[in-house]
């Protein structure tokens, strides 16, 4: 039997990935993974859609999500795992994000209009895959910009207009790291700092490490092997879980393949058997 591998970070069409939850499950099995968690931005919709397919194909699935959050105005991502998926605390947070995104995306479209690049919200929606369960974001706007011929690539759209500080960037109402951790914990889940190497300031990272997270994403697609060690040591010092995953998005980030970062059976089982299930 193959070595056990579980990818704990990937995105479906419920947010800005290009594969549906079912397609992600099938790809995970094709790649020889035995475990998976789909961590869409600010929505928990993928788990229920993926679960019947995972069961049928013998892939172990744990509920996952990647929340956008801020700490002292620095934008960060927080992964939530193994929560009670119909818990109102998480549903409320997702609803809050959905309103935040609606408002923020409107502000971005307004700015693009002023820059001579009008796009209707319906044109952005056309890239969303699953209209009933979608978390629309900048990548969808970037794809609409490419489609309309305003830019030649998604990368270009981000570089010139959509990245932080660029002319069409809008921040919207940020939700704090503290509130996010609380919601995940209220829903009996695990809160994990995502891709810590992307945190803009060392001071912010230091402060986050003092908060009541349960894990640190130590293994990540773009880490070189020797770079993992810094995060592994930090997580061990804190007694936190050492999680990992690819951050696979499909065709919006074609250089990242599903399963290129993963955790072993011990970590996966610890998370799967997190004692609060069934409450
Ligand atoms: P949002 O959550 O709507 O603010 O969009 C942020 C998401 O856009 C990130 O999580 C990435 O998936 C994606 N993203 C950020 N920068 C780039 C980039 N340069 N090229 C492609 N996708 C990007
Ligand atoms: Zn994304
Ligand atoms: Fe992220
Ligand atoms: Fe991600």
């Amino acid at each position: 039997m193959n070595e056990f591998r579980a990818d704990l970070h990937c995105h479906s069409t419920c947010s800005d990935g290009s594969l549906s939850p079912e397609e992600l499950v099938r790809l995970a099995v094709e790649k020889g993974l035995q475990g998976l968690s789909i961590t869409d931005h600010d929505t928990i919709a993928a788990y229920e859609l993926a679960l019947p397919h995972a069961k049928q194909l013998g892939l172990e699935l744990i509920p996952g999500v990647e929340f956008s959050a801020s700490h002292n105005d620095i934008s960060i991502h927080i992964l939530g795992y193994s929560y009670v998926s119909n818990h109102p605390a998480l549903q409320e947070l997702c609803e809050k994000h959905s309103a935040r995104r609606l408002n923020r995306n409107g502000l971005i479209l307004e700015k693009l209009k002023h820059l001579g690049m009008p796009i209707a919200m319906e044109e952005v929606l056309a890239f969303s895959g699953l209209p009933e369960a979608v978390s629309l974001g900048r990548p969808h706007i970037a794809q609409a910009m490419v489609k309309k011929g305003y830019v030649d690539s998604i990368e270009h759209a981000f570089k010139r207009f959509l990245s932080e500080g660029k002319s069409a960037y809008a921040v919207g109402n940020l939700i704090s790291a503290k509130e996010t951790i609380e919601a995940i914990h209220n829903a009996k889940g695990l809160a994990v700092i995502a891709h810590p190497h992307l945190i803009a300031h060392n001071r912010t990272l230091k402060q986050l490490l003092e908060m009541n997270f349960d894990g640190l994403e130590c293994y990540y697609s773009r880490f070189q092997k020797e770079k993992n060690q810094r995060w592994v040591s930090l997580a061990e010092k804190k007694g936190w879980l050492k999680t990992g995953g690819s951050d696979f998005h499909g065709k919006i980030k074609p250089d990242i393949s599903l399963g290129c970062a993963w955790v072993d059976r011990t970590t996966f089982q610890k998370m799967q058997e997190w004692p609060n299930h069934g409450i």
Side-chain angles (χ1 to χ4, degrees):
M1 184 153 161
N2 289 345
E3 179 189 21
F4 182 98
R5 291 180 179 208
D7 188 332
L8 299 180
H9 191 157
C10 62
H11 297 267
S12 78
T13 42
C14 294
S15 66
D16 57 3
S18 62
L19 299 187
S20 69
E22 176 183 352
E23 287 168 332
L24 268 180
V25 164
R26 294 191 183 282
L27 182 62
V29 172
E30 258 171 48
K31 296 253 174 192
L33 296 173
Q34 280 110 328
L36 187 74
S37 185
I38 303 175
T39 51
D40 276 308
H41 298 289
D42 307 327
T43 170
I44 56 174
Y47 179 72
E48 257 182 46
L49 298 169
L51 192 59
H53 306 285
K55 277 189 176 155
Q56 194 187 20
L57 295 173
L59 179 76
E60 296 184 49
L61 198 67
I62 54 180
V65 59
E66 181 177 24
F67 283 118
S68 314
S70 72
H71 186 68
N72 298 337
D73 289 330
I74 303 293
S75 155
I76 60 160
H77 283 173
I78 297 176
L79 295 157
Y81 293 109
S82 296
Y83 46 78
V84 176
S85 51
N86 56 1
H87 198 286
L90 271 199
Q91 283 177 350
E92 272 165 36
L93 183 58
C94 290
E95 276 160 29
K96 210 165 160 179
H97 272 289
S98 153
R100 174 188 74 83
R101 282 181 175 273
L102 197 65
N103 168 268
R104 198 265 328 238
N105 293 344
L107 294 173
I108 294 177
L109 293 187
E110 193 75 9
K111 288 192 173 186
L112 287 173
K113 195 166 119 193
H114 285 296
L115 289 163
M117 294 176 276
I119 301 174
M121 193 65 95
E122 293 70 44
E123 293 173 293
V124 179
L125 262 170
F127 295 104
S128 61
L130 293 174
E132 76 282 4
V134 88
S135 187
L136 275 189
R138 284 180 287 164
H140 302 102
I141 297 175
Q143 287 175 77
M145 289 171 76
V146 175
K147 185 87 192 269
K148 296 205 72 161
Y150 298 146
V151 287
D152 5 313
S153 65
I154 292 176
E155 208 48 50
H156 185 190
F158 269 94
K159 229 180 183 156
R160 290 218 29 217
F161 303 106
L162 300 174
S163 291
E164 213 163 320
K166 301 295 173 178
S167 52
Y169 180 73
V171 75
N173 314 313
L174 298 169
I175 295 172
S176 73
K178 187 169 172 284
E179 181 178 342
T180 306
I181 299 171
E182 271 169 20
I184 295 170
H185 284 166
N186 285 341
K188 321 288 179 198
L190 295 157
V192 172
I193 303 175
H195 39 62
H197 64 300
L198 295 180
I199 295 171
H201 297 284
N202 224 359
R203 190 165 50 99
T204 306
L205 175 66
K206 268 194 174 152
Q207 290 170 353
L208 291 172
L209 289 169
E210 294 311 312
M211 296 175 81
N212 59 338
F213 285 98
D214 309 289
L216 186 65
E217 191 172 47
C218 295
Y219 311 102
Y220 188 77
S221 57
R222 285 173 172 158
F223 285 171
Q224 290 124 354
K225 275 252 154 22
E226 57 282 10
K227 289 221 171 125
N228 296 336
Q229 197 46 47
R230 174 181 177 203
W231 309 115
V232 166
S233 307
L234 266 172
E236 283 175 354
K237 212 163 99 191
K238 308 279 316 173
W240 286 358
L241 288 161
K242 293 168 275 180
T243 77
S246 61
D247 208 358
F248 176 78
H249 279 72
K251 66 175 191 270
I252 74 154
K253 295 184 182 181
D255 50 326
I256 297 174
S257 63
L258 189 69
C260 68
W262 43 273
V263 298
D264 61 13
R265 184 182 286 284
T266 312
T267 303
F268 189 79
Q269 268 180 353
K270 237 194 247 174
M271 294 172 73
Q272 202 177 27
E273 289 161 9
W274 183 241
N276 299 304
H277 268 281
I279 290 174

